[in-house]
Amino acid sequence: MLNAQTAAPGDVIPVLRESIPFVDASGALLQRVAALGRPRRYAAGERIYNAGDEADDIYVVVSGRVEHVFGPGISAQESLKRMGRGGVFGWAGLVLGQTRRFASATALEPSEILCIGTEDLVRALEVEPLEGGAVMDRFATMIQREFTMPALLAKVRRLSGTPLTEEMSTLSLTLYRMSLWLKSPRPYLMLIGFALFLGLWYLFVEVWKLPRFREMPGITTVVKEWLSPAPTYGLSVFTEEYYQHIAVSIWRVAQAFLLATLLGVPFGLFLGWSRRFKEYVFPVFELLRPIPVLAWVPLAIVMFIATESAVVFLAFLASFFATALNTMLGVESIDESYVRAANCLGASRWQVFRHVIVPGALPFVFTGLQISIGVSWFSLVAAEMVSGQYGLGYVINTSFMMVRYPTIVIGMVTLGVVGYATSAMVRIAGDYMMEWRVRELALAER
Amino acid sequence: MDMHQPGAAALTRGRILIEDVVKTYPTEGAAVMAVDHCSLEIEAGEICMIVGPSGCGKTTLLNAIAGFHAITSGRIVMDGETLCSAEKPKAEPGPDRIVVFQNGALFPWKNNLENVIFGPVMQGKLARKQAIDKGRAMMADAGLAGVERNYPGEVSSGMRRRVEIVRALMNDPKALLLDEPYRALDSLTKSVMHEALLEIYYKNKVTIFFITHDLEEAIFLGHKVAIMTTRPCRPKKVLTVDIAHPRDYSVLTTKRFRELIEETSEAVHEEALKAFQAGEREG
Ligand SMILES: Nc1ncnc2c1ncn2[C@@H]1O[C@H](COP(=O)(O)OP(=O)(O)OP(=O)(O)O)[C@@H](O)[C@H]1O
Ligand SMILES: [Mg+2]
């Protein structure tokens, strides 16, 4: 190679702009990349590198022509590619898990080439992870389209700092998914769905006055009552009582749900883990599980003198069954080969439990917890309607008896919103604890 | 290199003797005999390939060596130590014989590096810090630099297989037991994986017990190829592959390779046909 000094860094920016990976990179990024470049000259026929060499540099053709030939065993559709100004080759070091050259490259005529250290480039791209990630994506596209590598091999490394990498915190991961969600049509369809629902409510009750809906409070009445500083029936967002009811219900559900989780998860884990334990306990469990919560009400009142504990107990019951059952199914769903692999690797029985059974069952556990929080609200309202002095179930029930129909609807909608929020919290906690799963799903979506 | 003493350095560990092993599965109705008086000698540091039709009992044999289930009679000995026999029908699974599973068994909830260091850390052989250093070095050696923090679900299936093999090698095992590890891969990735496996093997020298359907794969990789009968399984023919190691893909085009394929494909085909007919009769 002739090491004569050639193009100054400023001159190479236009060349980079002509290359696929950098076509729409910002000036700042191009400057950083150009500063890394070491210009070199090659004579006609000179070999630049061979297949199997260490993939340390990436090359950009400034002038001249270069021939790029894949080594044997790389099934690109076309093994030969010639390129001129703006051509980029020697990118093997960017491919996931690859440290060696896939191909050999030869100068066809006297050529001026810009060499950029692979690791230097990666670091330069990581400075601005979002833009850098776009450059990496275009590298991947180029490797597939221009160099006809199969998509399977054309996976590029991930920059640290871009979405879905190790440095990505769970919060930013959630934000990233949120921004994806906002870009998809889903939120807008959802809005249309809501508009349709509310519109029909309005039409049925207030415009068409359909017979079945004669007694139903109209949407305008409900909204007016709900937002009124002086509500006709005593309950609106401006009354303290409203929040008291919400707080009491949430507090009851929280106690029931936490208790059900603390008891149900270990119980389910042992049910799935120990065959003997399951044989003792599971038949009783299966007998009790289908009994509806309402059937427990009298016993609950007899057992717990205080109504408060009776209500919590009822909300706890169904939750506990859902959590325990799903956790048990989770343990049973774990592929036997994970346990065997852990045994092979010398894990003790306890270590298998800790490192295989618990994390392996986690996806099912969280499915169980989602169901659990739902049935916990369900049973709570049932219990509050039967006994209790506060809470949203109590509001609905007493409003019915006192013919305060708009308040019934306020109670119902509030339940829907609060119930949804708690269930979303469970889901977020699940995503937080199962990052591996979130990432897998995120990949599957792309 | 002399092919009767596989491995450049004469290895003294990892010799497996399978003596008259029988395994029947007690099922409702007639018991299923999966392995029938099977005897096989695997030299230390040898790559022994097991070829046989689907459902013949290859995995059953591997599970017996690994210690996943009991044998009915016979004996399996490794380096003079009896793994299982009539007195103690189930071997104890352990890090001296590590299985790479048919469908892969990297823990999806641990990232690649955590998977790799699992063995030494669980056994308390290495502190976490040292294990991480060793794991990183071994991964880099196997062309896995840059994916340490990715979860297995995020890398290609070929890479997952390599991670799994590195996870096994971290324990310095005497033998690797591979159950059709490349079955699900496309032929391109498969060929890359073969060379990667050989490269790893030349560096680490362990005994390899490798189950496959694919005769070319068997002859390309193996010092020895045992062609199994259809169920119940036992060696029908044991072929010594007299092509010197180290090998690369140019072997596939040599005359000797073609001859060996021809010599054996008859036997393999015959068993596959029998298995197929047996299947027709049963189902
Ligand atoms: N736990 C079991 N109980 C009863 N029969 C079994 C059991 N496991 C395997 N078998 C039977 O034993 C035979 C051998 O099974 P094995 O899994 O060892 O076959 P294989 O050679 O590994 O097949 P493949 O190539 O499909 O993986 C099969 O017919 C199978 O149905
Ligand atoms: Mg099998």
Side-chain angles (χ1 to χ4, degrees):
Chain A
M1 127 195 25
L2 314 169
N3 244 333
Q5 197 50 49
T6 45
D11 302 344
V12 302
I13 289 183
V15 183
L16 287 176
R17 262 220 181 92
E18 282 172 43
S19 69
I20 296 174
F22 298 101
V23 263
D24 46 31
S26 67
L29 180 70
L30 287 175
Q31 217 124 43
R32 266 202 308 272
V33 173
L36 298 171
R38 286 163 281 122
R40 280 191 198 152
R41 283 175 172 283
Y42 291 87
E46 192 177 347
R47 186 53 69 93
I48 303 172
Y49 58 74
N50 288 306
D53 288 355
E54 197 185 330
D56 44 4
D57 278 337
I58 290 172
Y59 300 84
V60 183
V61 184
V62 179
S63 70
R65 288 184 69 72
V66 172
E67 183 174 85
H68 178 274
V69 184
F70 279 114
I74 304 297
S75 78
Q77 269 162 37
E78 284 157 41
S79 61
L80 183 139
K81 177 173 166 62
R82 298 206 169 99
M83 60 203 116
R85 182 178 163 88
V88 178
F89 61 101
W91 33 257
L94 292 179
V95 173
L96 202 59
Q98 190 64 34
T99 55
R100 303 267 152 205
R101 299 278 184 212
F102 287 120
S104 60
T106 317
L108 292 175
E109 38 187 84
S111 303
E112 205 180 310
I113 313 258
L114 193 69
C115 313
I116 303 170
T118 307
E119 295 312 314
D120 295 340
L121 177 67
V122 167
R123 270 190 295 275
L125 294 179
E126 279 170 353
V127 174
E128 201 46 74
L130 278 180
E131 194 185 1
V135 171
M136 288 299 273
D137 282 348
R138 275 195 297 273
F139 261 108
T141 315
M142 178 186 78
I143 294 169
Q144 266 180 59
R145 299 242 177 91
E146 298 287 304
F147 290 83
T148 66
M149 283 267 278
L152 180 79
L153 290 179
K155 293 214 169 91
V156 293
R157 281 157 54 175
R158 290 240 188 80
L159 301 177
S160 54
T162 43
L164 311 181
T165 68
E166 55 182 300
E167 271 78 26
M168 182 94 187
S169 72
T170 313
L171 176 66
S172 43
L173 191 66
T174 312
L175 288 178
Y176 174 70
R177 300 195 78 194
M178 181 95 90
S179 74
L180 281 187
W181 183 70
L182 283 175
K183 276 182 214 148
S184 74
R186 295 211 307 273
Y188 310 104
L189 295 179
M190 185 183 87
L191 284 182
I192 295 174
F194 268 109
L196 272 176
F197 171 73
L198 298 176
L200 282 179
W201 181 7
Y202 178 68
L203 289 175
F204 283 1
V205 181
E206 285 167 68
V207 180
W208 298 331
K209 299 193 182 356
L210 297 184
R212 291 253 168 239
F213 295 83
R214 202 175 304 127
E215 290 296 321
M216 199 139 131
I219 180 168
T220 45
T221 329
V222 171
V223 173
K224 256 189 224 141
E225 172 81 4
W226 202 6
L227 301 179
S228 154
T232 329
Y233 303 110
L235 209 64
S236 81
V237 291
F238 291 100
T239 57
E240 202 178 303
E241 224 187 321
Y242 179 61
Y243 299 100
Q244 216 165 7
H245 287 300
I246 296 179
V248 167
S249 281
I250 289 182
W251 172 232
R252 286 173 181 158
V253 163
Q255 293 175 73
F257 176 74
L258 287 179
L259 200 62
T261 306
L262 286 178
L263 295 176
V265 172
F267 183 71
L269 286 173
F270 283 110
L271 269 182
W273 178 231
S274 156
R275 188 155 298 162
R276 160 103 10 127
F277 185 63
K278 183 175 172 182
E279 273 161 12
Y280 280 124
V281 176
F282 197 59
V284 180
F285 182 86
E286 274 301 88
L287 202 75
L288 295 180
R289 198 170 62 89
I291 300 175
V293 177
L294 281 178
W296 282 94
V297 170
L299 263 192
I301 295 175
V302 174
M303 274 197 305
F304 300 92
I305 320 296
T307 30
E308 189 59 26
S309 355
V311 169
V312 172
F313 170 74
L314 289 171
F316 156 82
L317 259 185
S319 270
F320 171 78
F321 285 121
T323 305
L325 184 72
N326 278 282
T327 305
M328 183 194 84
L329 293 177
V331 175
E332 288 175 353
S333 78
I334 295 172
D335 192 332
E336 177 72 20
S337 44
Y338 294 134
V339 178
R340 288 180 167 180
N343 283 332
C344 265
L345 295 167
S348 66
R349 205 172 141 78
W350 164 246
Q351 286 170 327
V352 170
F353 186 77
R354 162 82 185 68
H355 292 277
V356 179
I357 302 299
V358 173
L362 221 50
F364 273 73
V365 171
F366 272 94
T367 311
L369 293 184
Q370 291 264 351
I371 300 173
S372 154
I373 191 96
V375 296
S376 164
W377 276 106
F378 174 87
S379 336
L380 176 88
V381 171
E384 282 177 345
M385 287 172 81
V386 176
S387 65
Q389 283 167 18
Y390 278 103
L392 293 165
Y394 170 82
V395 167
I396 293 172
N397 200 37
T398 45
S399 306
F400 173 63
M401 309 237 243
M402 300 175 164
V403 207
R404 297 169 176 169
Y405 291 161
T407 312
I408 297 184
V409 180
I410 292 175
M412 287 169 66
V413 175
T414 308
L415 259 177
V417 173
V418 177
Y420 178 80
T422 50
S423 142
M425 274 158 59
V426 172
R427 196 174 54 240
I428 289 170
D431 285 356
Y432 184 79
M433 288 177 70
M434 297 184 294
E435 204 198 342
W436 59 278
R437 207 133 194 281
V438 175
R439 287 203 200 178
E440 244 171 40
L441 295 177
L443 275 181
E445 268 170 30
R446 282 205 305 184
Chain B
M1 192 187 309
D2 181 359
M3 33 115 316
H4 292 295
Q5 274 191 331
L11 265 179
T12 50
R13 55 202 292 271
R15 183 179 143 88
I16 302 173
L17 282 180
I18 300 169
E19 293 175 356
D20 247 2
V21 167
V22 176
K23 168 73 189 179
T24 47
Y25 287 110
T27 49
E28 287 166 42
V32 175
M33 187 185 239
V35 178
D36 179 18
H37 294 279
C38 168
S39 296
L40 190 63
E41 251 175 70
I42 303 162
E43 299 301 330
E46 184 175 67
I47 303 182
C48 177
M49 306 293 290
I50 309 291
V51 185
S54 197
C56 82
K58 305 179 295 293
T59 302
T60 305
L61 186 60
L62 179 140
N63 285 348
I65 304 174
F68 297 151
H69 58 211
I71 56 174
T72 310
S73 69
R75 199 158 82 107
I76 301 177
V77 181
M78 184 170 187
D79 294 341
E81 177 202 348
T82 304
L83 297 176
C84 55
S85 64
E87 291 78 51
K88 178 184 163 251
K90 188 177 159 303
E92 199 53 49
D96 54 342
R97 291 153 280 136
I98 298 188
V99 177
V100 175
F101 290 85
Q102 200 157 352
N103 298 313
L106 287 175
F107 305 126
W109 47 85
K110 290 185 181 286
N111 70 30
N112 290 325
L113 184 63
E114 285 168 347
N115 264 289
V116 163
I117 65 172
F118 187 81
V121 170
M122 290 300 120
Q123 296 158 45
K125 281 210 307 210
L126 288 180
R128 208 182 144 75
K129 175 87 184 48
Q130 293 163 297
I132 286 176
D133 290 343
K134 182 174 173 192
R136 277 187 188 281
M138 288 197 62
M139 284 181 80
D141 230 25
L144 291 166
V147 301
E148 291 92 344
R149 298 280 166 194
N150 288 91
Y151 287 94
E154 294 180 290
V155 298
S156 70
S157 51
M159 235 178 260
R160 278 201 287 275
R161 286 307 147 99
R162 265 187 283 168
V163 175
E164 203 169 347
I165 291 175
V166 171
R167 177 172 81 172
L169 291 172
M170 280 287 284
N171 301 278
D172 196 21
K174 292 178 178 174
L176 285 186
L177 313 175
L178 289 83
D179 191 350
E180 295 194 64
Y182 306 145
R183 164 134 96 175
L185 303 186
D186 62 290
S187 58
L188 163 71
T189 317
K190 208 164 162 174
S191 67
V192 176
M193 294 306 297
H194 286 154
E195 291 192 314
L197 178 70
L198 284 178
E199 196 179 311
I200 289 174
Y201 169 76
Y202 296 137
K203 279 186 203 154
N204 294 276
K205 289 297 177 196
V206 286
T207 305
I208 292 183
F209 180 94
F210 189 126
I211 294 178
T212 177
H213 269 111
D214 177 348
L215 187 59
E216 289 206 12
E217 172 174 81
I219 294 180
F220 174 61
L221 293 173
H223 293 96
K224 186 189 275 174
V225 177
I227 294 160
M228 303 307 230
T229 60
T230 181
R231 204 183 75 217
C233 153
R234 62 192 301 180
K236 178 189 176 87
K237 177 172 177 157
V238 178
L239 171 83
T240 307
V241 182
D242 49 0
I243 299 175
H245 273 275
R247 298 179 192 162
D248 62 31
Y249 251 74
S250 59
V251 166
L252 293 186
T253 51
T254 60
K255 183 150 155 282
R256 187 63 194 139
F257 182 78
R258 286 289 136 204
E259 282 169 7
L260 287 170
I261 296 268
E262 264 163 41
E263 265 175 48
T264 41
S265 61
E266 179 76 18
V268 172
H269 187 69
E270 221 175 87
E271 289 308 317
L273 197 66
K274 272 190 213 156
F276 177 72
Q277 284 162 346
E280 295 272 272
R281 248 182 283 123
E282 278 170 20

